[in-house]
Amino acid sequence: MKLPRQFFKPLAIGAPAPYRELPVRLERMIHFVPPHLEKMRAKVPDIAKQVDVVLGNLEDAIPSDAKEAARKGFIEMAQATDFGSTGLWTRINCLNSPWVLDDITEIVAAIGNKLDVIMLPKVEGAWDIHYLDQLLAQLEARHGVQKPILIHAILETAEGVKNVEEIAAASPRMHGMSLGPADLAASRAMKTTRVGGGHPDYKVLADPDGDKPRIGFQQDLWHYTIAKMVDACAANGIKPFYGPFGDFADLAACESQFRNAFLQGCVGAWSLHPTQIDIAKRVFSPDPGEVAFALKIVEAMPDGSGAVMIDGKMQDDATWKQAKVIVDLAKIVAAKDPEMGKVYGL
Ligand code: GLV
Ligand code: MG
């Protein structure tokens, strides 16, 4: 266990100092782009204007024989595009793959000063973060990178879930975590063939009542893992995200999965298809009615203490803190999206 005084020191001479607090950024959706496809790369300047984060995917879903082309394509699109306030991330291949070392070294050398976050798949424990942390510091020093490149872990193995608290606390470079339901289902030998979402057989059956048909209520397969991830992230001041939703045609189920994650504390989700961008925008921006009510609470309790009644509901220090979360998020959304600012009255 590293001692507190050492924790925030750069891991290489000449590397930028780690952040003490994460930069404030709106990251409602992490939009995945397959960078080996020229047709998809050509859309990036337009997409960058619509989303909060553009991510060049190098890992799963990129065929083995296109791994080098994806890496080259990502560097090319990063160099060619002005991302403005939109984040630029990449998902590298996993640490035991033959591609990952070149992913990291070539990308940091070429676009280290433009890259905000590296998403690291299949993280099993703090040791995976420590390895990438050290390597990034060495490369940042070598290439004169001015601000630390952050690490975002995918929580998608049983061992990773077991070690989630150590992963969240492993380095000041930790940005956050995403649930990876597809790999996690495989790692746990769950009996599903889906990328996220519910399953019709995972339900609780109502008690028998004579001959009446028994109603079954479908449950959320991901509730336990998301809750565990949210606690680990919140306790360490980093950000939890829901990951992918694979059924692009089922917009309602995607929205419901995103909303469950949002209500539980997640700040965003992945968009794998353009239709999921608007869903994420809608879900991860606070509801205008909630914002209006939260503003009332904050105004009625200027110093955040005591108790007041608003619309017949008791408010105290704890609801003031909840209201503050919603108002702060609404302000970040308003700064990026003036239309939403008008809707919120901010
Ligand atoms: C994402 O990478 C997943 O495995 O769900
Ligand atoms: Mg995965």
Side-chain angles (χ1 to χ4, degrees):
M1 175 80 184
K2 194 172 266 196
L3 296 174
R5 213 182 282 285
Q6 312 298 336
F7 191 69
F8 286 102
K9 285 197 177 149
L11 292 182
I13 297 164
Y19 291 123
R20 298 246 159 189
E21 296 289 341
L22 286 182
V24 176
R25 309 240 3 200
L26 189 61
E27 290 163 339
R28 294 166 296 183
M29 77 296 293
I30 303 162
H31 188 72
F32 273 54
V33 175
H36 58 302
L37 304 175
E38 199 185 340
K39 194 178 92 189
M40 303 308 276
R41 285 203 305 273
K43 296 182 182 173
V44 165
D46 254 5
I47 284 179
K49 295 192 189 102
Q50 296 165 42
V51 302
D52 298 338
V53 174
V54 171
L55 176 145
N57 180 28
L58 310 184
E59 200 224 12
D60 291 357
I62 306 300
S64 302
D65 62 2
K67 292 286 188 187
E68 314 275 332
R71 188 190 310 134
K72 274 203 180 67
F74 173 65
I75 290 171
E76 199 181 300
M77 81 184 213
Q79 285 169 333
T81 312
D82 176 3
F83 290 91
S85 65
T86 299
L88 176 65
W89 296 23
T90 182
R91 176 168 81 166
I92 58 175
N93 287 287
C94 60
L95 290 178
N96 63 0
S97 74
W99 307 289
V100 67
L101 188 60
D102 290 342
D103 289 347
I104 302 166
T105 52
E106 288 181 22
I107 286 171
V108 177
I111 53 151
N113 273 312
K114 249 184 153 175
L115 186 68
D116 295 301
V117 177
I118 288 183
M119 184 183 271
L120 182 63
K122 301 178 179 65
V123 174
E124 306 269 27
W127 54 88
D128 289 333
I129 306 299
H130 294 157
Y131 168 80
L132 183 57
D133 196 8
Q134 182 68 67
L135 181 56
L136 281 174
Q138 291 165 343
L139 292 169
E140 286 168 346
R142 170 175 291 181
H143 299 292
V145 174
Q146 298 298 308
K147 61 176 178 51
I149 297 165
L150 297 178
I151 300 174
H152 181 102
I154 311 182
L155 193 60
E156 54 181 351
T157 68
E159 192 175 359
V161 175
K162 184 190 151 289
N163 292 322
V164 65
E165 286 159 27
E166 289 82 11
I167 294 169
S171 159
R173 215 187 269 281
M174 280 301 293
H175 162 277
M177 254 179 246
S178 290
L179 172 76
D183 270 302
L184 185 54
S187 165
R188 285 176 171 160
M190 289 166 63
K191 308 303 177 288
T192 56
T193 52
R194 301 170 170 216
V195 179
H199 192 284
D201 294 342
Y202 191 72
K203 62 188 176 191
V204 173
L205 213 55
D207 282 359
D209 182 8
D211 291 336
K212 286 193 192 149
R214 292 173 71 179
I215 303 168
F217 296 94
Q218 210 172 307
Q219 308 291 300
D220 184 356
L221 274 171
W222 306 107
H223 183 267
Y224 154 77
T225 317
I226 291 179
K228 200 168 165 166
M229 176 181 75
V230 168
D231 280 346
C233 289
N236 284 285
I238 65 171
K239 295 166 134 188
F241 292 70
Y242 177 77
F245 190 89
D247 187 347
F248 301 155
D250 195 346
L251 302 183
C254 175
E255 179 149 354
S256 153
Q257 181 71 74
F258 284 9
R259 196 171 301 283
N260 287 349
F262 174 66
L263 290 170
Q264 276 185 276
C266 290
V267 300
W270 302 1
S271 50
L272 302 181
H273 188 270
T275 55
Q276 296 180 338
I277 296 172
D278 280 344
I279 297 177
K281 231 178 239 186
R282 193 158 59 239
V283 170
F284 293 100
S285 306
D287 174 73
E290 289 277 13
V291 174
F293 193 65
L295 282 167
K296 270 194 200 174
I297 297 173
V298 171
E299 275 157 27
M301 297 171 62
D303 69 353
S305 72
V308 296
M309 295 297 289
I310 299 178
D311 301 347
K313 298 187 190 92
M314 194 276 292
Q315 311 300 328
D316 67 1
D317 306 44
T319 51
W320 183 88
K321 285 179 200 151
Q322 292 173 49
K324 183 95 176 27
V325 168
I326 293 175
V327 171
D328 287 350
L329 177 58
K331 284 182 181 161
I332 302 173
V333 173
K336 166 120 188 172
D337 185 342
E339 283 301 307
M340 284 305 288
K342 271 191 225 143
V343 176
Y344 292 148
L346 290 170

